[in-house]
Amino acid sequence: MAAVRLRPGALPVCRDRFFGREGDSDEIAELLCSARLVTLTGPPGIGKSRLALEFANHVANYPGGVHWVDLGAVSGIGGVCDALRAAWPECPCDEAALSASDPGSRHGCEGVLLVLDGCPPRAAGLAQVADSLLRRCRGLSILATSKARLMVAGERQWPVPPLRVPDPEEVAEALGGYEAVALFCDRATAVSPRFRLSPHLAPVVADLCRRLDGMPLAVELAASNGAGMRAADLARALDDRFGLLVAPPTTRLFSRRRSLLAALEESFQELDESGRRLMRRLSVFEGRATLGAIEQVCGEAFERRALVEHLGSLVAKSLVVMELGDGGVAGYRMWQTIQAFARSQLVASGEEASLCARHAAWFVALAEEAGSRLVGGGEQAAAMAELRREAPNLSAAARWASEGNADWALRLACALAPFWVSVDDIAGGRDLLDAALVAATESPEPSGGALFCAALVAGAAGAHRRAALALDRAHAAFEQQGDTAGGARCGVEEGATLLLTRGPSEARPVLEDTLLVGRTAGDWWGLRGLHLTATACFLQGDMVEARALWAEALDLARTHRNHRALGPALLGL
């Protein structure tokens, strides 16, 4: 925000455009009608001050005036009172006023709005001063900006949201209509008048805004430094995120905001040692993390109650976001820039390797448990939803395992193979785990399970020859192990490949050989075998047998509560 201070208490003068926030000022105004203290909260760079200033510049129902108080560099109760009196000379803020119990009105306070900008979380006495002013000045309202609530009776908190960013699938022509992209373009044009959001550059800018979570200050700083970059250079610029997010010396950004890194370091140092430890450790997660995952991965040296308290404190200080997911289950995540900062602190602490290992261990176990439910009965939908929800963390676990633990990488790959058949990718982790499967198949004595999963992945990718070779080897391995169920699964997938590549006459006998084991198992593979055999019969004109097999598949799917298999059977009938 480019601003020039006029006199104590005067509103800063903005020289740049304000983007987005449609309706936010109306919501704040409504809150101030019912609560005399409203605190805009959020992490550094989310736009709290700019939104407060936009509201203050357009508000019309405070005849006593609007007074802007910059508390960003203030410490101690004396400093707070000095800043208040400088901005608002009539302010009843002195030692006698603070200790008085008389709540009566005071002349000069009617219809006054105080904007307390940049309230420091550890400013001794700030809450006491605000409470005293509200008790003594019944016509006074306060709009505060802070990383956390002031903890004053009657206070209403309003978390400031980021700017809207486009989805990855959004067409290039529509990208300029999103607030974060529009802000980037405006600030980039101010630095480089020839800047244009070309079709080649637009997807890069959109991706950058997404990776910055639509945080206005981060987008502004990126635009100031990246306006003259080529698309390829801009795409790589966030690899040095905090080198990019520094205000050039020629800009008029507030001095305390010249570096987003400095703002995050300040927030980090305001935490106690346990809070800093937990914040560092949370950076190992990608996307949302459940409390159970946080306890298992980050909970070493924490009692459960203490961990929950420190987690709540990080949420209160706007360093962690708490969201309610499906079924009302809470999930916790960090904004990406905050996560990058916390990860750098984790690396510096020497704990990164152990935390990555704990994270991978948790998600290998989760993948194996959810994967077994995905092919079993009754809970396929829940298992699929869980795997989709945890896709970023599964991908992170795959990256770590692929670099240092081949056994865990293979376990992840085998657990997630049925999931891969149903979705396109898992946040970029598919190639990593596919590599683990290929490596396993090239080992001297690969397991039947690894070979079978490699065949599934190859088939889903259209590599039918590679899938057929892997299936043959898997079948042989299962036979050697005496695993009839594994052999039947191989037969089902072999029949599926033959049905697709050579037709029903060659596929049907292979599929029929799997039916006895499939009927007994009642899992996804057994029911898939029934469905594919019915399909082969249908394609050969044997309608009676096809309908009988589909009806049998439907009954078994209902008996075993295998909802995933209901659709193909119903569709066939």
Side-chain angles (χ1 to χ4, degrees):
M1 173 173 60
V4 178
R5 296 295 304 275
L6 299 179
R7 60 174 175 77
L11 297 179
V13 178
C14 286
R15 298 178 179 177
D16 48 31
R17 290 177 60 192
F18 182 73
F19 285 86
R21 312 295 194 195
E22 288 84 358
D24 288 0
S25 290
D26 292 339
E27 289 190 34
I28 295 169
E30 288 181 15
L31 283 177
L32 282 168
C33 289
S34 58
R36 293 168 56 213
L37 169 59
V38 173
T39 304
L40 309 184
T41 60
I46 199 69
K48 303 180 292 293
S49 298
R50 188 65 172 88
L51 177 58
L53 182 57
E54 187 71 10
F55 174 81
N57 270 317
H58 293 90
V59 72
N61 56 337
Y62 290 96
V66 179
H67 304 276
W68 184 275
V69 187
D70 188 347
L71 297 176
V74 167
S75 62
I77 194 168
V80 172
C81 289
D82 289 345
L84 282 166
R85 284 193 296 267
W88 179 32
E90 297 85 2
C91 177
C93 182
D94 52 48
E95 187 174 349
L98 290 175
S99 60
S101 58
D102 175 21
S105 298
R106 184 180 179 92
H107 178 71
C109 298
E110 295 298 324
V112 171
L113 175 65
L114 271 183
V115 182
L116 307 181
D117 182 44
C119 297
R122 289 188 175 180
L126 177 58
Q128 180 187 356
V129 171
D131 182 66
S132 174
L133 289 175
L134 291 169
R135 285 189 297 107
R136 293 175 58 78
C137 308
R138 292 181 175 173
L140 173 69
S141 296
I142 298 176
L143 178 64
T145 71
S146 177
K147 286 173 278 191
R149 293 180 59 212
L150 304 187
M151 305 304 291
V152 174
E155 177 185 16
R156 294 292 298 274
Q157 181 181 10
W158 200 85
V160 177
L163 299 178
R164 289 190 312 120
V165 297
D167 293 328
E169 299 78 18
E170 187 63 84
V171 295
E173 293 77 10
L175 295 178
Y178 287 84
E179 299 158 359
V181 177
L183 174 64
F184 183 97
C185 295
D186 181 81
R187 302 306 192 255
T189 303
V191 175
S192 177
R194 290 182 150 187
F195 176 86
R196 294 292 182 273
L197 191 67
S198 66
H200 184 54
L201 187 59
V204 176
V205 171
D207 181 63
L208 183 143
C209 290
R210 277 192 299 273
R211 293 172 65 190
L212 295 175
D213 294 306
M215 297 180 77
L217 179 59
V219 171
E220 263 192 286
L221 294 174
S224 297
N225 289 292
M229 292 184 183
R230 296 176 304 172
D233 295 330
L234 186 59
R236 290 192 296 267
L238 272 189
D239 293 341
D240 180 19
R241 183 180 296 255
F242 295 109
L244 179 69
L245 304 182
V246 176
T250 55
T251 64
R252 288 182 168 269
L253 292 171
F254 283 161
S255 60
R256 72 171 185 270
R257 296 175 188 159
R258 293 192 182 215
S259 166
L260 195 51
L261 176 61
L264 291 173
E265 286 176 337
E266 179 183 304
S267 296
F268 186 69
Q269 293 304 321
E270 288 168 354
L271 304 172
D272 61 23
E273 178 52 40
S274 294
R276 290 195 288 270
R277 181 185 300 118
L278 181 58
M279 181 175 169
R280 289 194 302 262
R281 292 178 175 182
L282 287 172
S283 68
V284 78
F285 289 101
E286 297 289 341
R288 296 172 72 251
T290 63
L291 180 58
I294 292 170
E295 285 184 279
Q296 292 298 316
V297 176
C298 306
E300 186 181 14
F302 283 98
E303 293 183 357
R304 187 181 192 279
R305 180 175 178 179
L307 184 141
V308 171
E309 288 177 353
H310 284 296
L311 185 59
S313 177
L314 292 175
V315 172
K317 292 177 171 63
S318 304
L319 295 170
V320 170
V321 180
M322 191 272 281
E323 299 170 327
L324 291 179
D326 298 337
V329 178
Y332 300 85
R333 65 176 177 87
M334 287 179 168
W335 301 110
Q336 291 183 65
T337 298
I338 295 177
Q339 182 195 13
F341 169 80
R343 190 60 177 256
S344 70
Q345 298 298 314
L346 182 66
V347 172
S349 74
E351 285 191 311
E352 184 185 32
S354 62
L355 262 292
C356 286
R358 292 170 69 93
H359 175 274
W362 170 264
F363 283 101
V364 167
L366 181 146
E368 289 178 333
E369 191 274 336
S372 67
R373 287 189 287 128
L374 191 63
V375 299
E379 297 186 14
Q380 291 99 346
M384 179 67 75
E386 183 175 22
L387 291 171
R388 286 183 181 276
R389 185 171 60 247
E390 297 293 359
N393 280 305
L394 292 168
S395 179
R399 284 195 300 273
W400 182 85
S402 67
E403 294 172 0
N405 194 314
D407 178 58
W408 283 7
L410 180 59
R411 287 172 59 187
L412 263 177
C414 291
L416 295 174
F419 179 60
W420 284 346
V421 176
S422 305
V423 298
D424 291 333
D425 201 351
I426 54 162
R430 180 172 182 166
D431 289 343
L432 293 170
L433 298 186
D434 189 21
L437 288 170
V438 171
T441 61
E442 293 173 351
S443 65
E445 295 184 6
S447 69
L451 290 164
F452 177 71
C453 291
L456 281 183
V457 174
H464 299 299
R465 179 173 175 76
R466 182 153 64 95
L469 291 173
L471 275 176
D472 287 342
R473 296 179 66 197
H475 213 149
F478 282 131
E479 284 185 357
Q480 186 176 0
Q481 298 163 9
D483 187 342
T484 56
R489 289 198 298 271
C490 288
V492 169
E493 293 308 313
E494 182 184 352
T497 301
L498 289 172
L499 189 62
L500 185 66
T501 59
R502 297 189 182 181
S505 60
E506 293 195 35
R508 182 172 175 175
V510 174
L511 290 166
E512 287 177 336
D513 286 344
T514 71
L515 294 182
L516 179 60
V517 176
R519 287 172 173 134
T520 303
D523 63 4
W524 164 248
W525 304 113
L527 294 171
R528 176 169 162 79
L530 278 168
H531 167 67
L532 290 171
T533 307
T535 302
C537 294
F538 175 81
L539 292 174
Q540 288 183 313
D542 190 349
M543 308 304 294
V544 174
E545 183 65 12
R547 289 194 182 96
L549 288 170
W550 273 318
E552 183 182 1
L554 183 61
D555 288 341
L556 283 172
R558 286 170 173 166
T559 299
H560 293 281
R561 298 175 58 227
N562 199 314
H563 304 301
R564 188 179 171 202
L566 286 173
L570 288 169
L571 184 63
L573 289 171

